[in-house]
Amino acid sequence: MVGASDSTTKASRRLGVVILAWAGAWCWLSWPPAAAAGTDTAVDVQPIAEVRSLPVAELETNPHVRIRGVVTLRREGRERYAVVQDETAGIYINFSFAKGRGIWTGDGIPEAVHMGVEVEIDGTIDPGGFSPPVLPREVRILGPKPLPQPRHTDPERFFSGADDSLLIEIAGVVHDVLDGGPDWRLMLEAAGRPFVAAVPKPAILNDPQELVDAEVRITGVPLSLFNTRGEFLQPWVVVGKPEWFTVVSPPPHPPFDCPPVAISSLARFRP
């Protein structure tokens, strides 16, 4: 009788161990991979303007964000990045920085991420040097979507950095043209203040130096040049398509056809 009881007890213990082991295995297999990696899967899609408005103290914690919008710019080069815009704002998606931080595991920007495609991006957000960029962890392609209507910017917004990452249209006078590899770098002036534009070379078929003193109109995405203190210095407009560059009026005359002016007469008082 004692032996039978011991046998029953041992069998019950073995059954209990099997049940516990099965339960543990089930819990392990059903545990969400994202939760195991420390990712908050409950984050809803957030308006880009809301994400860009997070306090710096919160940005420094690199919170998880999820955004959705249409790609307005894609750039491959020393730094690989895209810009995405929704109904509220635009934001810079830094694939190179995300790769260096081990957040993005791909080799570069996915081929399907190009202008005119709506995407949903999961990742983290960083304070950045001036405006906060998203560091992507996962990109989902949602399909083609029309680009937003370019905003007709005003100088106060444009020259303060408020138009950063928005698709805009602006006109200016060309002061100089430099060779920037795949682009022509145009030094422009609008409302008496300078800015730079990167224009695809196919947009300018003739000698680009002939554009000096011409008025041009460009559509593009302004990014920001800033100093080491994160202070805005100058807009940098990236023109994504050749057809987004138009000559409004050619130079009024060749620059050396003007009569010479004495240096001592420049910047003097004139009523």
Side-chain angles (χ1 to χ4, degrees), residues 186-206:
L186 272 60
M187 312 297 143
L188 297 130
E189 177 187 298
R193 300 175 69 177
F195 68 101
V196 182
V199 179
K201 284 190 171 176
I204 303 173
L205 300 178
N206 299 323

Side-chain angles (χ1 to χ4, degrees), residues 1 36 74 78 83 119 122 130 178 189 213 229-230 236 246:
M1 191 72 178
R74 172 198 172 107
R78 186 178 61 180
V83 175
V119 296
D122 279 334
F130 177 67
L178 304 176
E189 177 187 298
D213 215 22
R229 296 187 298 275
W236 169 278
T246 306

Side-chain angles (χ1 to χ4, degrees), residues 37-49:
T39 302
D40 180 9
T41 58
V43 174
D44 294 326
V45 173
Q46 301 150 280
I48 291 176

Side-chain angles (χ1 to χ4, degrees), residues 97-105 137:
F97 194 16
K99 178 75 172 179
R101 294 266 291 269
I103 298 170
W104 178 251
T105 58
R137 177 179 290 110

Side-chain angles (χ1 to χ4, degrees), residues 112-134:
V113 177
H114 54 79
M115 294 171 61
V117 167
E118 187 178 27
V119 296
E120 186 172 295
I121 297 176
D122 279 334
T124 63
I125 190 163
D126 190 83
F130 177 67
S131 62
V134 169

